[in-house]
Amino acid sequence: MAGADARENEYRYGRGREKARDAARVETFSDGVFGVVLTVMAVELLQTGPARESGRELPDALAHAWPSYLAYVITFAIAGQVWLAHHNLWRYVVRVDQMLLVLNLLVLLFIATIPFTADLLSDNLRGSAIEQRLTAALYLGTVLGEALFVNLSWWWARRRGLLHPDLDPRLARAIARRILKKPLLYLVAFAFVFIDPILSLCAYLLLVAFYLIGGPGDLRPSADPSREGSAA
């Protein structure tokens, strides 16, 4: 009887049972966070629009508010691309454990910071060079932190066997290489801030466009398993 009880406890509370939790609730919760972030960002960046300007003609008011609109477009594009990447990656995740949940929460922590850094960005595009670079550094910290924890989440899911068992290992490696490039390219985009902050923001937009062209599932692994390097 004692042996049966021990086996029952192992089934109910053991690591294998822990990993049996599916990913549906994680995706639902994450989608909710993304939705709130995009809404808050729109409110924060567009609340100082022309309707709130006094003593200005509409064309002049629109022109004066261009930093807010530019920050909104760029940040919405980045946040939207992150949501697409999250959606594409998590369709391969069939189980979760505690560490993967924590890593996903850390991804969302940086996502939730986007409205704050985007607001700073719009307020300081006309500021001094030091203010512009500090704002750009904070903005980089947000997107870079998100990208790093996305990489860690994918690495952990592969390492712990939380991905769909039918997922081609070569495709999983190709996805890992694709998302690993992202924080490196963010650093390159940030380097342009020392030349021109607007140029740096345009580099972010180009990076977003690159990642919008094809999701992880559109990658094609090499036909030769020995040629891992050609799977990207």
Side-chain angles (χ1 to χ4, degrees), residues 129-145:
I130 294 178
E131 291 173 334
Q132 291 175 346
R133 289 169 185 169
L134 177 58
T135 302
L138 291 172
Y139 200 76
L140 170 74
T142 300
V143 296
L144 186 59

PDB file of all heavy atoms in Angstrom, residues 129-145:
ATOM      1  N   ALA A 129      21.648  66.331 -27.242  1.00  0.00           N
ATOM      2  CA  ALA A 129      22.241  65.074 -27.696  1.00  0.00           C
ATOM      3  C   ALA A 129      22.319  64.061 -26.557  1.00  0.00           C
ATOM      4  O   ALA A 129      22.076  62.863 -26.759  1.00  0.00           O
ATOM      5  CB  ALA A 129      23.632  65.337 -28.279  1.00  0.00           C
ATOM      6  N   ILE A 130      22.634  64.528 -25.352  1.00  0.00           N
ATOM      7  CA  ILE A 130      22.718  63.621 -24.196  1.00  0.00           C
ATOM      8  C   ILE A 130      21.356  63.027 -23.884  1.00  0.00           C
ATOM      9  O   ILE A 130      21.226  61.821 -23.624  1.00  0.00           O
ATOM     10  CB  ILE A 130      23.280  64.370 -22.972  1.00  0.00           C
ATOM     11  CG1 ILE A 130      24.731  64.771 -23.217  1.00  0.00           C
ATOM     12  CG2 ILE A 130      23.167  63.497 -21.722  1.00  0.00           C
ATOM     13  CD1 ILE A 130      25.347  65.564 -22.089  1.00  0.00           C
ATOM     14  N   GLU A 131      20.311  63.863 -23.909  1.00  0.00           N
ATOM     15  CA  GLU A 131      18.958  63.374 -23.641  1.00  0.00           C
ATOM     16  C   GLU A 131      18.509  62.378 -24.700  1.00  0.00           C
ATOM     17  O   GLU A 131      17.882  61.356 -24.381  1.00  0.00           O
ATOM     18  CB  GLU A 131      17.984  64.562 -23.578  1.00  0.00           C
ATOM     19  CG  GLU A 131      18.181  65.447 -22.370  1.00  0.00           C
ATOM     20  CD  GLU A 131      17.322  66.691 -22.425  1.00  0.00           C
ATOM     21  OE1 GLU A 131      16.967  67.128 -23.551  1.00  0.00           O
ATOM     22  OE2 GLU A 131      17.011  67.239 -21.355  1.00  0.00           O
ATOM     23  N   GLN A 132      18.831  62.670 -25.955  1.00  0.00           N
ATOM     24  CA  GLN A 132      18.454  61.758 -27.029  1.00  0.00           C
ATOM     25  C   GLN A 132      19.127  60.406 -26.867  1.00  0.00           C
ATOM     26  O   GLN A 132      18.513  59.359 -27.042  1.00  0.00           O
ATOM     27  CB  GLN A 132      18.815  62.377 -28.383  1.00  0.00           C
ATOM     28  CG  GLN A 132      17.962  63.582 -28.754  1.00  0.00           C
ATOM     29  CD  GLN A 132      18.437  64.238 -30.038  1.00  0.00           C
ATOM     30  OE1 GLN A 132      19.539  63.974 -30.516  1.00  0.00           O
ATOM     31  NE2 GLN A 132      17.604  65.098 -30.601  1.00  0.00           N
ATOM     32  N   ARG A 133      20.421  60.419 -26.531  1.00  0.00           N
ATOM     33  CA  ARG A 133      21.154  59.165 -26.399  1.00  0.00           C
ATOM     34  C   ARG A 133      20.720  58.381 -25.164  1.00  0.00           C
ATOM     35  O   ARG A 133      20.640  57.151 -25.203  1.00  0.00           O
ATOM     36  CB  ARG A 133      22.654  59.451 -26.358  1.00  0.00           C
ATOM     37  CG  ARG A 133      23.185  59.891 -27.717  1.00  0.00           C
ATOM     38  CD  ARG A 133      24.588  60.419 -27.650  1.00  0.00           C
ATOM     39  NE  ARG A 133      24.999  60.928 -28.964  1.00  0.00           N
ATOM     40  CZ  ARG A 133      26.098  61.642 -29.166  1.00  0.00           C
ATOM     41  NH1 ARG A 133      26.891  61.942 -28.155  1.00  0.00           N
ATOM     42  NH2 ARG A 133      26.404  62.048 -30.391  1.00  0.00           N
ATOM     43  N   LEU A 134      20.413  59.086 -24.080  1.00  0.00           N
ATOM     44  CA  LEU A 134      19.926  58.402 -22.885  1.00  0.00           C
ATOM     45  C   LEU A 134      18.576  57.752 -23.154  1.00  0.00           C
ATOM     46  O   LEU A 134      18.327  56.599 -22.773  1.00  0.00           O
ATOM     47  CB  LEU A 134      19.813  59.387 -21.716  1.00  0.00           C
ATOM     48  CG  LEU A 134      19.236  58.819 -20.410  1.00  0.00           C
ATOM     49  CD1 LEU A 134      20.066  57.641 -19.914  1.00  0.00           C
ATOM     50  CD2 LEU A 134      19.127  59.907 -19.350  1.00  0.00           C
ATOM     51  N   THR A 135      17.697  58.486 -23.828  1.00  0.00           N
ATOM     52  CA  THR A 135      16.388  57.937 -24.183  1.00  0.00           C
ATOM     53  C   THR A 135      16.546  56.720 -25.088  1.00  0.00           C
ATOM     54  O   THR A 135      15.878  55.701 -24.898  1.00  0.00           O
ATOM     55  CB  THR A 135      15.541  59.009 -24.896  1.00  0.00           C
ATOM     56  OG1 THR A 135      15.399  60.135 -24.044  1.00  0.00           O
ATOM     57  CG2 THR A 135      14.160  58.463 -25.219  1.00  0.00           C
ATOM     58  N   ALA A 136      17.442  56.838 -26.077  1.00  0.00           N
ATOM     59  CA  ALA A 136      17.677  55.721 -26.983  1.00  0.00           C
ATOM     60  C   ALA A 136      18.231  54.517 -26.240  1.00  0.00           C
ATOM     61  O   ALA A 136      17.903  53.365 -26.553  1.00  0.00           O
ATOM     62  CB  ALA A 136      18.636  56.142 -28.097  1.00  0.00           C
ATOM     63  N   ALA A 137      19.089  54.761 -25.230  1.00  0.00           N
ATOM     64  CA  ALA A 137      19.644  53.662 -24.448  1.00  0.00           C
ATOM     65  C   ALA A 137      18.550  52.946 -23.647  1.00  0.00           C
ATOM     66  O   ALA A 137      18.533  51.710 -23.553  1.00  0.00           O
ATOM     67  CB  ALA A 137      20.732  54.180 -23.513  1.00  0.00           C
ATOM     68  N   LEU A 138      17.638  53.713 -23.061  1.00  0.00           N
ATOM     69  CA  LEU A 138      16.527  53.104 -22.326  1.00  0.00           C
ATOM     70  C   LEU A 138      15.621  52.317 -23.274  1.00  0.00           C
ATOM     71  O   LEU A 138      15.142  51.227 -22.934  1.00  0.00           O
ATOM     72  CB  LEU A 138      15.721  54.186 -21.604  1.00  0.00           C
ATOM     73  CG  LEU A 138      16.433  54.877 -20.436  1.00  0.00           C
ATOM     74  CD1 LEU A 138      15.603  56.057 -19.939  1.00  0.00           C
ATOM     75  CD2 LEU A 138      16.677  53.888 -19.302  1.00  0.00           C
ATOM     76  N   TYR A 139      15.393  52.881 -24.448  1.00  0.00           N
ATOM     77  CA  TYR A 139      14.574  52.199 -25.445  1.00  0.00           C
ATOM     78  C   TYR A 139      15.239  50.896 -25.864  1.00  0.00           C
ATOM     79  O   TYR A 139      14.596  49.842 -25.965  1.00  0.00           O
ATOM     80  CB  TYR A 139      14.394  53.118 -26.661  1.00  0.00           C
ATOM     81  CG  TYR A 139      13.235  52.775 -27.553  1.00  0.00           C
ATOM     82  CD1 TYR A 139      11.933  53.082 -27.170  1.00  0.00           C
ATOM     83  CD2 TYR A 139      13.427  52.141 -28.773  1.00  0.00           C
ATOM     84  CE1 TYR A 139      10.859  52.788 -27.983  1.00  0.00           C
ATOM     85  CE2 TYR A 139      12.362  51.834 -29.597  1.00  0.00           C
ATOM     86  CZ  TYR A 139      11.077  52.166 -29.195  1.00  0.00           C
ATOM     87  OH  TYR A 139      10.026  51.854 -30.014  1.00  0.00           O
ATOM     88  N   LEU A 140      16.548  50.951 -26.097  1.00  0.00           N
ATOM     89  CA  LEU A 140      17.293  49.747 -26.442  1.00  0.00           C
ATOM     90  C   LEU A 140      17.198  48.716 -25.328  1.00  0.00           C
ATOM     91  O   LEU A 140      17.020  47.523 -25.581  1.00  0.00           O
ATOM     92  CB  LEU A 140      18.762  50.089 -26.705  1.00  0.00           C
ATOM     93  CG  LEU A 140      19.685  48.868 -26.847  1.00  0.00           C
ATOM     94  CD1 LEU A 140      19.450  48.193 -28.190  1.00  0.00           C
ATOM     95  CD2 LEU A 140      21.147  49.243 -26.688  1.00  0.00           C
ATOM     96  N   GLY A 141      17.325  49.172 -24.066  1.00  0.00           N
ATOM     97  CA  GLY A 141      17.251  48.241 -22.948  1.00  0.00           C
ATOM     98  C   GLY A 141      15.947  47.466 -22.925  1.00  0.00           C
ATOM     99  O   GLY A 141      15.920  46.268 -22.616  1.00  0.00           O
ATOM    100  N   THR A 142      14.863  48.146 -23.291  1.00  0.00           N
ATOM    101  CA  THR A 142      13.560  47.485 -23.320  1.00  0.00           C
ATOM    102  C   THR A 142      13.490  46.410 -24.398  1.00  0.00           C
ATOM    103  O   THR A 142      13.157  45.258 -24.129  1.00  0.00           O
ATOM    104  CB  THR A 142      12.440  48.517 -23.548  1.00  0.00           C
ATOM    105  OG1 THR A 142      12.453  49.465 -22.478  1.00  0.00           O
ATOM    106  CG2 THR A 142      11.088  47.849 -23.603  1.00  0.00           C
ATOM    107  N   VAL A 143      13.818  46.795 -25.626  1.00  0.00           N
ATOM    108  CA  VAL A 143      13.695  45.829 -26.732  1.00  0.00           C
ATOM    109  C   VAL A 143      14.764  44.744 -26.648  1.00  0.00           C
ATOM    110  O   VAL A 143      14.528  43.589 -27.021  1.00  0.00           O
ATOM    111  CB  VAL A 143      13.729  46.540 -28.090  1.00  0.00           C
ATOM    112  CG1 VAL A 143      12.529  47.461 -28.238  1.00  0.00           C
ATOM    113  CG2 VAL A 143      15.018  47.336 -28.294  1.00  0.00           C
ATOM    114  N   LEU A 144      15.949  45.109 -26.142  1.00  0.00           N
ATOM    115  CA  LEU A 144      17.014  44.120 -26.008  1.00  0.00           C
ATOM    116  C   LEU A 144      16.685  43.103 -24.920  1.00  0.00           C
ATOM    117  O   LEU A 144      16.898  41.896 -25.092  1.00  0.00           O
ATOM    118  CB  LEU A 144      18.337  44.818 -25.697  1.00  0.00           C
ATOM    119  CG  LEU A 144      19.590  43.944 -25.671  1.00  0.00           C
ATOM    120  CD1 LEU A 144      19.806  43.258 -27.005  1.00  0.00           C
ATOM    121  CD2 LEU A 144      20.814  44.779 -25.291  1.00  0.00           C
ATOM    122  N   GLY A 145      16.139  43.579 -23.800  1.00  0.00           N
ATOM    123  CA  GLY A 145      15.735  42.654 -22.735  1.00  0.00           C
ATOM    124  C   GLY A 145      14.685  41.679 -23.204  1.00  0.00           C
ATOM    125  O   GLY A 145      14.758  40.470 -22.910  1.00  0.00           O
TER     126      GLY A 145
END
